[in-house]
Amino acid sequence: MQVVSTTDENPRPGRRPEWLKIHLNTGDNFRELKKLMRGNTLHTVCEEARCPNIYECWANRTATFMILGNICTRACRFCAVTSGLPTELDLEEPGRVAESVEHMGLRHVVVTSVARDDLADGGASIFAATIRAIRERVPLCSVEVLIPDFMGNWDALQVVMDAEPDILNHNIETVRRLSDKVRSKAKYDRSLELLRRAKEMKPHIPTKSSIMIGVGETWEEILQTMDDLRAVDCDIMTIGQYLQPTRKHLPVSRYWTPEEFAALKEEGMKRGFKHVESGPLVRSSYHAHEQVEKAGTQA
């Protein structure tokens, strides 16, 4: 397959292509899950980040819980989550998350958070408490955590790893050249170091990372990012199309085609990832349980 490289100098595309149309499913499962979240005063990244898959996932009774409040201390140019100075630190939140996981009958749950640079441990202790609360209440449910970089606080990372999540996920988000443009405070090499140290701390725990494309990267840069992730023994990679959440956010530079996403999956598998999930609407937590199964890990 011939793939044409793109740079951030390409003109901004117009209407979204047909393959990015989303089927809205607001049936009983969707409404019940929304009511459950509101009743337990919980946040989901599905809502806060305006994920395009919310209708499909919620209709199938899956969700990604977002702990540590809904205000992020960072303001990344791609992200729709509200930024500012958080005031919330709810020590009872882990128990409510576990209760909701039990109520939903989940076999695999993803827990993420806003960045909490205002906290000494970046919220690592709450991540660990949430993992343990879910394990106590729903022993057969596997737990994936999607963590921030904790500003390079490796003691905080150790706290999370010691709680033994089934998957440790940290997103590198974009290629090296665009990292400072796209992300706030996070650093490309720090993300790689986090993934390396996580594998060093707990070699048996699979690691996972994600990039979004369509912000000005080239084909060659995507492949280099794959190589960088494999160099730190990252097991699972997801690749999805960036979609501009509001006009104030980073514009889309290009819509990559489904055929190109399929070719990227092939490239990733050739490089030794246990599994690569690649598609226009793929997000880090999309079909998370299926990703774990396909990677040959226990979940």
Side-chain angles (χ1 to χ4, degrees):
M1 172 183 172
Q2 183 67 34
V3 179
V4 179
S5 297
T6 181
T7 71
D8 56 2
E9 295 177 352
N10 283 359
R12 180 180 174 186
R15 294 175 57 186
R16 290 183 182 181
E18 288 295 314
W19 61 78
L20 285 171
K21 288 190 174 179
I22 301 164
H23 174 66
L24 303 186
N25 185 343
T26 55
D28 291 343
N29 282 345
F30 179 90
R31 290 191 292 269
E32 182 184 351
L33 186 50
K34 188 167 187 175
K35 182 178 179 181
L36 174 67
M37 296 298 175
R38 298 294 81 75
N40 280 348
T41 323
L42 296 172
H43 304 288
T44 67
V45 75
C46 320
E47 295 175 289
E48 303 296 339
R50 304 184 186 184
C51 180
N53 303 310
I54 184 172
Y55 302 101
E56 176 186 352
C57 293
W58 281 30
N60 291 324
R61 302 187 69 81
T62 63
T64 297
F65 293 90
M66 190 172 78
I67 61 174
L68 296 166
N70 65 342
I71 299 178
C72 185
T73 53
R74 303 184 186 182
C76 297
R77 295 193 63 203
F78 66 90
C79 185
V81 174
T82 302
S83 60
L85 183 62
T87 58
E88 181 179 359
L89 183 60
D90 186 351
L91 299 181
E92 304 300 319
E93 188 175 46
R96 295 200 309 277
V97 171
E99 179 183 348
S100 297
V101 169
E102 181 181 39
H103 184 83
M104 292 167 63
L106 299 184
R107 292 176 54 220
H108 182 78
V109 60
V110 182
V111 179
T112 188
S113 76
V114 292
R116 290 296 301 262
D117 297 330
D118 59 311
L119 302 176
D121 71 347
S125 59
I126 302 297
F127 265 107
T130 303
I131 295 168
R132 294 187 177 105
I134 294 170
R135 288 264 167 70
E136 181 176 351
R137 190 145 190 161
V138 194
L140 297 181
C141 180
S142 55
V143 184
E144 175 178 333
V145 291
L146 171 54
I147 62 171
D149 62 15
F150 301 131
M151 294 295 288
N153 180 344
W154 307 131
D155 289 336
L157 175 62
Q158 186 74 63
V159 168
V160 175
M161 299 306 291
D162 285 346
E164 294 277 337
D166 293 277
I167 300 283
L168 188 286
N169 187 350
H170 172 70
N171 290 340
I172 202 161
E173 304 293 7
T174 189
V175 301
R176 181 186 296 276
R177 176 176 59 86
L178 298 173
S179 187
D180 288 344
K181 174 183 177 182
V182 170
R183 307 163 85 193
S184 170
K185 297 184 181 179
K187 299 297 180 184
Y188 188 89
D189 286 314
R190 185 193 293 155
S191 289
L192 291 174
E193 180 67 5
L194 182 149
L195 291 164
R196 186 192 70 79
R197 285 178 179 262
K199 182 64 73 172
E200 185 179 77
M201 291 173 183
K202 301 285 182 177
H204 63 284
I205 296 179
T207 52
K208 174 179 170 183
S209 195
S210 175
I211 66 167
M212 56 190 170
I213 58 177
V215 294
E217 66 292 312
T218 67
W219 180 264
E220 292 76 15
E221 286 175 319
I222 299 171
L223 299 187
Q224 182 59 57
T225 302
M226 289 182 178
D227 291 338
D228 291 343
L229 290 172
R230 286 300 300 134
V232 295
D233 203 18
C234 183
D235 298 293
I236 303 169
M237 183 179 188
T238 65
I239 308 169
Q241 171 69 51
Y242 168 67
L243 299 175
Q244 184 183 29
T246 72
R247 290 183 179 180
K248 72 177 183 179
H249 288 86
L250 199 68
V252 176
S253 70
R254 175 186 170 184
Y255 292 115
W256 292 76
T257 67
E259 293 77 18
E260 289 169 317
F261 278 103
L264 285 171
K265 179 182 176 73
E266 291 182 9
E267 290 287 350
M269 295 304 291
K270 285 193 301 186
R271 283 163 167 76
F273 287 102
K274 292 181 179 178
H275 180 64
V276 177
E277 190 83 13
S278 178
L281 290 175
V282 167
R283 295 297 179 265
S284 182
S285 302
Y286 184 55
H287 291 174
H289 190 271
E290 290 89 337
Q291 293 173 27
V292 176
E293 291 179 336
K294 290 175 183 177
T297 58
Q298 185 66 39

